[in-house]
Amino acid sequence: MSRRSLGARFVRLLARCTSFCYPTAFRRQHGVAFADVADRLLANERTRRAPLRAVLSTSQVILGDALSASPAMWMEAIASRREAPADRSVRARFARFSQGSWQDLKLAARSAIRRPAFSLLVIGTLGLGIGSSAAAFDALDRAILNPLPFVQGDDLVLLVMQEVKQKYMTSVPLASLQEWRKHATTVDRIEIFRRAVAIYGTPSGAVSLDALAVSGGLPELIGVRPLAGRAFTIADADPAAPATVMLGEQFWRTEFGGDPSVVGRVIRIASRPTEIIGVWPIGARLDYFEPPDVIRVLPAGNEYARGSWVQVLARRRPDRSNDDVQNELRTMTSQTPGSTLTYAPVAISPADLLLGDQFVTGVWLVFAGGVVLLAAAIANAAHLLLERANARGHELAVRIAIGGSTSRLFRLFFAEGVVYACGALVAGLIIALGLEALISEYEPRLFRDVDGAGLAGRAFAFVAAIGAIAAIVCSVAPVFRSDRRHVTDAVNQGHGRTTAVRSRGMQVLVGLQAAVAALLVFGAMLMGRSLLNLLAVNPGIETDRLAELSISMPAATYPDDTARALFLSRAREALETLPGVTGVVTSGMPIMLASLQSGVPRLEGEPEVEVPPHANTALARVRPHYFHTLGLRLRAGRFFTDDESDVAVVGAMFAAARGNDVLGKRLLLPRSTTPLPIVGVVDDVRYMGLSNDKDQAPSVYVPAPAAPAAKTDAFQRFIIRTEGDPAAVLPAARRRLAEIDPQVPILEPQTGAQVMRRQTAQHRFVAAVLGGLAVMGFLLAMSGVYGAVALSVVRRTREIGVRMALGATAERLVRRFVAIGLRPVAIGALCGSAITWLAAPHLEALLFRVPARDPLSGASGLALVLVTAALAALGPARRIARVDPAKTLRAS
């Protein structure tokens, strides 16, 4: 026997594998011949095609036969079995039902393929609604419904200290933490974490990384499951233990390509050899900052050595509440010797700090918009299938007339609905993943969970439920149109000739779509106006010509204040000599941020008053050239000079609250008894956010001591003012600093424009998502109006011909059909506007200087929907002018 070619062996192997798709009895009888039949098919194909194409064509025939013939064979095998009498009846019914359902599905699939344009329209409509609602639900589920993806996350509590009078919060003192760990009975264990900076040594120089410092028992407390390696244990927190670190998932994937073998590798952190022991998953978040690059363990007994602000996390006992924990800790604090009861412990849920009110409202609003759009999409798809059922009225009526049951028609339509719903689920999942990628550009925190990115399991369940609902709704709507009451009318009408029967269901669906469009358009207009108002706000400083970058000086190279001050002096001189740079200043805080001091300032002699909770003062210690570099405008008085030390410059808000009569008066800062003469008043900087009109902290600027007399921190920030584009100066600035010392890492380079963009990110996120949902809902509604009028014109062609023969003009008929199309739109849009008017107060937290019940936005949205609906109805209505009455009457 000649040796078979590779293609022939592949075809024979494929034939043997596909033989297992057939019933057992058939395979035993004919299975041996499968390979021989495949050989003959291949030989025939080779006489007409090239070898490779012959193999592909033969493989296609083998697979096609298996997919088309094997299901029917299995159904026949099941139906032909004869076993126990009781079991035979059940099996026979199941076989008949399964075989009939399979035939219905095949018929529905063939019907969808024969009408690709209509099928794509239905699938695209449903997919749009499913995708948008799935992405919105996933964001809601991860960010709000399940914000802490930890083991028993509901039992976790954050412990903070709250000032008794002014209600501001601060970190727990080390002494109190140690006392609670020893004697607290309402919590099982207490651990801490805080943000930090880590210096990562690379061959090309040092790089600064975002770090999360945790106590040794915290991973076990929250149940972190590393993606590779292991998590920290209490043994790793021993000061004598080797230095270890966990990589953040995002840093692990970008820097090490997601290679699990990095576990055990030694890297240099802070000039110290450090072993990688595991990978921290991106979803195991403890705050809403950017995910950390590395996670390091805090040494036991020295957890407060660096940094004063730490987060204390505890797990309360199952039988205790947050109030029980709080009361016990307050009792312990009051019994501590020397306690002044100035601060009291507070136990709060971590989600209360992780989520702000505006953030929660925005996510709920996005989810509501997704659900509304889903309702519009399902209504539009049901409308399309209903109109198709109307076009098939004669066929369906004949089916019923010859004995077909309504349940049989429902099964037929349900098979069509399942086919369209399955296609829409695939399209919806693709759209949802795309929307996640787009939304995460604005709010990356929405799509983090323990298992990383992608749709979560509950989102898949949500999508499956939506698909089932869509299939049922799209199936039931045509059945209502095809019941026995319409049999006589449909049979008497003949093929393609219908009377002027108005479908109330169709009008209801069009009205629902119009209501959805009006609701979404109104919300989008409100958010659009709010965003425009926000972009027009004066931030208080001239940010368009500003840039900033930060450095962190290694302790090994710069061990004392003198060495650090010398480097800062050289760096400032190097930056000031760059082309296009007009000013450089060092600052401890970024652009648009200030050091917040709990409490509020007052003039000497003013009585102390109780201030609202979380009231702060934006306190900045600066040199005189700071005002010029950042572009702060002087309103009254003067700036302080290099020679002055105990004076202050205040913001306009503080001065306005005292009748602008503050120059020369003495200022008392919170928790300070040293009065400072006020020498000037400047514009307020919106340190608490551009969109925050109510809780802006009063600004106070005091002189900073000149270096090197002052203690110089290892972390410093340079703010640069330029003549031109600040983005063009940043690369040159980095090169200048690298020339001085390449081992000093440079971090956070950004321009003032980027800072301002982050200030408006949340409003742009909600406005963009609502705007996108409004456009999609608007298009769905208008397509529904267009389709309703177009189908109405087609169905009533004979009536139109008769009317025109009797003297009706085309213009009059066009106006009539436009009015018919606009009637449900007007009713639906008014209902949608009324709903929006009632729900408007829930948008208040997201709006900026726009009333929630803004009449201009409401009227504009309603007018836009009505005018566009009129244009959508006018397009198909104009076809009336092309109707020839003589041809229409002869055809009838």
Side-chain angles (χ1 to χ4, degrees), residues 648-834:
V649 172
V650 299
M653 179 177 66
F654 178 84
R658 292 154 180 81
N660 293 317
D661 183 21
V662 295
L663 290 179
K665 294 186 178 180
R666 296 156 70 86
L667 179 74
L668 285 173
L669 293 174
R671 293 177 289 177
S672 175
T673 57
T674 303
L676 303 175
I678 299 175
V679 298
V681 178
V682 296
D683 278 344
D684 283 308
V685 181
R686 302 181 74 86
Y687 290 119
M688 307 302 291
L690 292 180
S691 61
N692 192 341
D693 273 341
K694 299 179 180 178
D695 300 323
Q696 287 294 330
S699 305
V700 178
Y701 304 89
V702 297
K711 180 177 177 59
T712 305
D713 191 69
F715 178 86
Q716 286 292 329
R717 178 176 285 102
F718 295 101
I719 299 178
I720 306 170
R721 174 162 292 279
T722 64
E723 294 178 345
D725 183 11
V729 176
L730 284 175
R734 299 187 64 157
R735 288 193 297 270
R736 285 287 181 89
L737 294 178
E739 290 172 0
I740 300 174
D741 188 348
Q743 296 304 315
V744 173
I746 301 171
L747 59 152
E748 300 178 359
Q750 59 184 347
T751 64
Q754 292 172 327
V755 173
M756 297 304 295
R757 184 172 179 82
R758 282 198 298 273
Q759 289 272 340
T760 60
Q762 181 177 330
H763 279 74
R764 286 187 291 106
F765 160 67
V766 178
V769 175
L770 273 185
L773 293 177
V775 170
M776 291 186 283
F778 196 72
L779 292 177
L780 288 176
M782 296 309 107
S783 65
V785 174
Y786 182 94
V789 176
L791 291 172
S792 181
V793 171
V794 171
R795 290 201 312 266
R796 302 174 63 177
T797 302
R798 182 171 180 271
E799 175 191 347
I800 292 171
V802 172
R803 287 178 177 271
M804 295 180 72
L806 294 176
T809 63
E811 291 79 6
R812 182 177 178 184
L813 292 175
V814 168
R815 288 195 300 270
R816 177 179 176 84
F817 275 82
V818 171
I820 291 174
L822 275 181
R823 187 177 299 116
V825 173
I827 296 174
L830 288 173
C831 293
S833 300

Side-chain angles (χ1 to χ4, degrees), residues 840-864:
H842 296 288
L843 301 176
E844 198 74 51
L846 286 171
L847 300 178
F848 180 69
R849 297 179 182 176
V850 177
R853 291 173 174 169
D854 181 33
L856 179 60
S857 299
S860 301
L862 183 61
L864 181 61

Side-chain angles (χ1 to χ4, degrees), residues 358-639:
Q358 291 188 356
F359 180 79
V360 171
T361 304
V363 176
W364 274 110
L365 186 61
V366 169
F367 174 70
V371 171
V372 169
L373 184 61
L374 172 66
I378 294 178
N380 207 356
H383 178 204
L384 292 171
L385 292 175
L386 179 60
E387 290 305 318
R388 185 170 170 231
N390 288 338
R392 297 169 59 191
H394 184 76
E395 170 202 342
L396 299 176
V398 170
R399 283 177 178 267
I400 294 178
I402 62 177
S405 63
T406 303
S407 61
R408 180 69 184 85
L409 287 179
F410 175 78
R411 195 172 70 178
L412 179 64
F413 284 120
F414 184 72
E416 292 186 357
V418 168
V419 169
Y420 290 127
C422 289
L425 285 177
V426 175
L429 289 176
I430 296 174
I431 292 172
L433 292 173
L435 286 175
E436 282 197 356
L438 291 175
I439 294 176
S440 61
E441 298 251 339
Y442 291 97
E443 287 289 350
R445 53 186 159 173
L446 290 181
F447 298 108
R448 297 180 191 165
D449 65 353
V450 173
D451 300 322
L455 289 172
R458 292 204 287 184
F460 274 113
F462 180 77
V463 170
I466 291 174
I469 294 172
I472 294 174
V473 172
C474 293
S475 307
V476 171
V479 172
F480 284 152
R481 180 65 184 88
S482 308
D483 60 14
R484 297 181 180 276
R485 290 177 295 174
H486 301 283
V487 172
T488 305
D489 293 340
V491 172
N492 292 335
Q493 289 164 9
H495 295 281
R497 294 194 297 268
T498 60
T499 59
V501 178
R502 298 176 184 175
S503 173
R504 293 183 180 178
M506 179 186 67
Q507 294 180 0
V508 170
L509 291 177
V510 172
L512 175 61
Q513 294 170 18
V516 169
L519 193 152
L520 291 175
V521 169
F522 180 75
M525 284 194 166
L526 281 177
M527 288 307 305
R529 289 194 61 195
S530 176
L531 179 60
L532 291 177
N533 291 341
L534 184 62
L535 295 177
V537 169
N538 177 19
I541 58 178
E542 301 174 2
T543 59
D544 55 340
R545 293 290 183 267
L546 290 181
E548 68 177 21
L549 51 83
S550 304
I551 60 171
S552 182
M553 292 170 278
T557 310
Y558 303 94
D560 52 37
D561 297 338
T562 303
R564 289 193 287 266
L566 180 60
F567 175 84
L568 289 178
S569 177
R570 293 179 60 193
R572 189 183 307 110
E573 291 176 1
L575 294 176
E576 288 174 342
T577 57
L578 285 173
V581 173
T582 60
V584 179
V585 65
T586 56
S587 174
M589 298 300 294
I591 301 172
M592 294 299 298
L593 285 179
S595 177
L596 296 180
Q597 185 174 359
S598 300
V600 294
R602 59 189 177 89
L603 294 179
E604 189 178 28
E606 288 183 346
E608 290 191 38
V609 296
E610 184 175 350
V611 298
H614 312 298
N616 296 290
T617 299
L619 179 64
R621 299 184 182 277
V622 301
R623 300 303 298 163
H625 57 282
Y626 175 90
F627 300 101
H628 166 72
T629 302
L630 270 74
L632 279 157
R633 185 170 65 93
L634 184 67
R635 287 198 174 189
R638 61 176 178 84
F639 298 129

Side-chain angles (χ1 to χ4, degrees), residues 73-323:
M73 290 185 179
W74 277 106
M75 297 304 172
E76 291 176 2
I78 294 173
S80 62
R81 290 180 182 177
R82 297 292 186 265
E83 296 181 4
D87 190 49
R88 182 176 66 237
S89 175
V90 174
R91 287 176 175 264
R93 290 180 181 179
F94 176 76
R96 287 195 299 271
F97 174 79
S98 301
Q99 186 173 8
S101 300
W102 177 251
Q103 293 298 329
D104 288 342
L105 287 174
K106 291 197 297 184
L107 179 62
R110 286 197 295 268
S111 176
I113 294 173
R114 284 197 301 267
R115 298 174 177 83
F118 178 83
S119 301
L120 289 176
L121 179 61
V122 175
I123 290 174
T125 299
L126 284 175
L128 194 65
I130 291 174
S132 59
S133 59
F137 173 79
D138 202 23
L140 177 74
D141 183 47
R142 299 190 194 205
I144 297 177
L145 302 182
N146 188 30
L148 294 173
F150 302 132
V151 177
Q152 299 177 344
D154 293 338
D155 293 335
L156 296 176
V157 291
L158 276 174
L159 306 178
V160 296
M161 301 295 287
Q162 187 178 57
E163 206 276 335
V164 175
K165 293 183 178 180
Q166 299 187 2
K167 306 301 183 183
Y168 59 83
M169 294 184 181
T170 186
S171 181
V172 176
L174 178 60
S176 298
L177 177 65
Q178 293 173 341
E179 183 71 14
W180 297 347
R181 281 177 167 174
K182 291 179 182 178
H183 303 295
T185 60
T186 54
V187 293
D188 286 328
R189 54 192 306 177
I190 301 175
E191 304 293 341
I192 70 170
F193 65 93
R194 63 178 177 84
R195 282 283 171 164
V197 175
I199 307 302
Y200 173 46
T202 67
S204 59
V207 177
S208 179
L209 302 178
D210 290 330
L212 181 70
V214 302
S215 55
L218 187 134
E220 182 182 356
L221 173 68
I222 62 178
V224 171
R225 294 175 294 176
L227 299 179
R230 65 175 180 86
F232 293 120
T233 63
I234 296 178
D236 294 308
D238 190 333
T244 55
V245 69
M246 293 183 69
L247 303 180
E249 180 184 350
Q250 182 173 311
F251 181 70
W252 172 59
R253 296 189 185 280
T254 56
E255 184 72 14
F256 299 96
D259 184 8
S261 65
V262 300
V263 175
R265 187 181 301 180
V266 176
I267 59 176
R268 298 193 69 82
I269 300 291
S271 303
R272 181 183 181 187
T274 306
E275 180 187 358
I276 300 173
I277 64 170
V279 178
W280 188 285
I282 194 173
R285 61 182 185 268
L286 295 168
D287 52 35
Y288 266 155
F289 294 104
E290 291 297 314
D293 299 316
V294 294
I295 298 89
R296 64 180 183 86
V297 65
L298 292 168
N302 197 23
E303 295 168 331
Y304 275 49
R306 294 184 59 189
S308 59
W309 177 261
V310 297
Q311 301 277 11
V312 179
L313 188 66
R315 182 179 298 282
R316 69 168 184 266
R317 296 186 183 276
D319 57 338
R320 299 303 182 99
S321 65
N322 285 5
D323 291 338

